[in-house]
């Protein structure tokens, strides 16, 4: 039985976006994880992706991934200060100095800051030099429900990834499931999925968000057809559907996104969507 892929709970779309960045080695040296949800879990996901030795980063199965998830990887540190209400400047100075030491066994040294509301401005300033001029093996992950908790001078040097909330997260999950069903190519599975969308009282705005997510995933699959790498899902879509079907699917999704702007019932849209998507799947070819 195949091992279950590592994910960020309730954040399917963010999971795929971070996987795609990891596949391109584009996670960077400074990352801000903002929004609601389990930010520390998201940070461990990113840290595992940075240390992973598998082809699908993070695989969750290799030695480095398992160590990160268990909190025992020698090169992944959670920067905390249990002795004070806020993280002391000296704690951050030690972390910044440690960053210049080569990793013990991993690909990188990763420092996770689990709650940036505990980092005063003076303390954050201690990190500026290592963020600007630090060694390429050092990476810093900042967890902040609001990105504004991080100084603008740090935000300008970091990539921010925001956790989806409520219906946004649900839309990402639905988009991922739709693309998986397209890869399977079974009308018997796709039609009930669309019926379920109607029965769940989905609004036109929520349907539009789901379609936009599916369109973006389809575009990644199309790029994978042309040798642009991509996530495992993108490669699966490229292999299962091919260029012609993916291009047609992207056009169908874009058209239905536009139709959501008009006063059309969700039931009408989802029914027609199932029919047109199955027509594209039947046209699959290289």
């Amino acid at each position: 039985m195949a091992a279950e892929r590592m994910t960020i709970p309730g954040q399917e779309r963010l999971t795929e976006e971070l996987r795609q960045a990891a596949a391109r080695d584009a996670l960077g040296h400074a990352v801000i994880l903002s929004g609601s949800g389990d930010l520390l879990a998201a940070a461990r996901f990113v840290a595992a992706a940075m240390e992973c030795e598998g082809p699908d980063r993070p695989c969750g199965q290799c030695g480095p991934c398992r160590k990160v998830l268990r909190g025992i990887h020698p090169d992944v540190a959670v920067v905390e200060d249990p002795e004070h209400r806020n993280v002391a400047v000296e704690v951050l100075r030690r972390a910044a100095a440690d960053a210049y030491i080569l990793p013990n066994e991993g690909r990188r040294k990763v420092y996770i800051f689990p709650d940036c509301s505990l980092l005063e401005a003076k303390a954050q300033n201690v990190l500026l030099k290592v963020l600007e001029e630090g060694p390429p093996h050092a990476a810093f992950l900042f967890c902040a429900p609001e990105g504004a908790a991080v100084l603008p001078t740090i935000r300008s040097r970091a990539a921010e990834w925001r956790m989806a909330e409520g219906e946004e997260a649900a839309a990402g999950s639905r988009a991922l499931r739709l693309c998986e069903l397209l890869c399977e190519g079974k009308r018997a599975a796709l039609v009930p999925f669309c019926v379920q969308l109607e029965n769940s009282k989905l609004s036109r705005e929520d349907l539009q968000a789901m379609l936009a997510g599916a369109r973006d995933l389809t575009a990644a699959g199309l790029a994978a057809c042309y040798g642009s790498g991509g996530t495992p899902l993108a490669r699966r879509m490229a292999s299962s559907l091919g260029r012609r079907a993916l291009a047609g699917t992207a056009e169908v999704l874009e058209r239905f996104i536009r139709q959501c702007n008009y006063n059309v019932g969700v039931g009408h849209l989802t029914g027609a969507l199932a029919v047109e998507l199955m027509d594209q799947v039947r046209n699959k070819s290289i």
Side-chain angles (χ1 to χ4, degrees):
M1 182 180 294
E4 186 176 351
R5 297 174 72 217
M6 184 177 174
T7 63
I8 303 171
Q11 301 289 327
E12 287 83 357
R13 186 171 181 181
L14 178 60
T15 293
E16 289 302 318
E17 290 174 346
L18 286 168
R19 278 189 192 284
Q20 190 166 354
R24 302 193 311 268
D25 285 326
L27 288 171
H29 75 291
V31 174
I32 298 172
L33 296 155
S34 61
S36 62
D38 194 340
L39 295 174
L40 182 56
R44 290 196 186 281
F45 181 93
V46 175
M50 290 179 170
E51 302 291 2
C52 182
E53 295 178 346
D56 177 18
R57 296 186 284 159
C59 68
Q61 303 300 314
C62 68
C65 278
R66 291 198 301 270
K67 287 183 178 181
V68 172
L69 293 178
R70 292 169 59 194
I72 60 172
H73 197 294
D75 297 311
V76 178
V78 177
V79 182
E80 296 177 297
D81 186 0
E83 296 181 2
H84 301 93
R85 182 178 181 278
N86 293 319
V87 180
V89 170
E90 187 55 37
V91 171
L92 296 187
R93 285 199 180 113
R94 287 199 298 267
D98 183 73
Y100 289 90
I101 302 173
L102 289 173
N104 291 281
E105 62 181 57
R107 300 170 69 239
R108 309 188 71 172
K109 296 192 78 167
V110 184
Y111 300 87
I112 299 174
F113 300 87
D115 187 354
C116 286
S117 67
L118 302 180
L119 301 179
E120 297 176 336
K122 181 180 178 181
Q124 292 187 42
N125 278 322
V126 171
L127 299 173
L128 283 180
K129 183 175 181 180
V130 72
L131 287 172
E132 292 175 340
E133 306 171 4
H137 62 253
F140 302 85
L141 312 182
F142 301 93
C143 300
E146 293 300 329
V150 182
L151 287 178
T153 46
I154 291 181
R155 292 206 305 272
S156 67
R157 293 163 174 80
E160 182 171 354
W161 299 84
R162 188 164 183 84
M163 301 271 275
E165 302 179 26
E167 277 303 321
E168 184 184 354
S173 178
R174 295 185 191 110
L176 190 63
R177 181 57 182 156
L178 176 59
C179 290
E180 290 172 343
L181 291 173
L182 291 175
C183 290
E184 295 173 9
K186 297 178 181 177
R187 179 183 177 86
L190 182 61
V191 172
F193 172 79
C194 290
V195 171
Q196 185 181 20
L197 292 178
E198 179 182 358
N199 292 339
S200 65
K201 307 300 182 182
L202 203 67
S203 69
R204 287 187 297 113
E205 292 76 14
D206 293 339
L207 177 62
Q208 190 173 49
M210 183 208 77
L211 295 174
R215 175 201 57 198
D216 294 344
L217 293 172
T218 301
L222 189 58
C225 289
Y226 291 92
S228 297
T231 66
L233 176 62
R235 295 193 295 271
R236 182 184 172 196
M237 294 182 76
S239 174
S240 300
L241 299 173
R243 293 191 294 268
R244 181 180 175 184
L246 282 171
T249 298
E251 292 178 3
V252 168
L253 292 169
E254 186 62 44
R255 178 154 44 82
F256 275 81
I257 289 170
R258 292 196 298 270
Q259 287 186 31
C260 286
N261 293 323
Y262 303 102
N263 188 23
V264 180
V266 169
H268 169 77
L269 286 174
T270 55
L273 177 68
V275 172
E276 294 205 29
L277 288 178
M278 283 310 303
D279 286 343
Q280 295 304 322
V281 171
R282 293 192 191 98
N283 288 332
K284 63 183 179 182
S285 67
I286 303 299

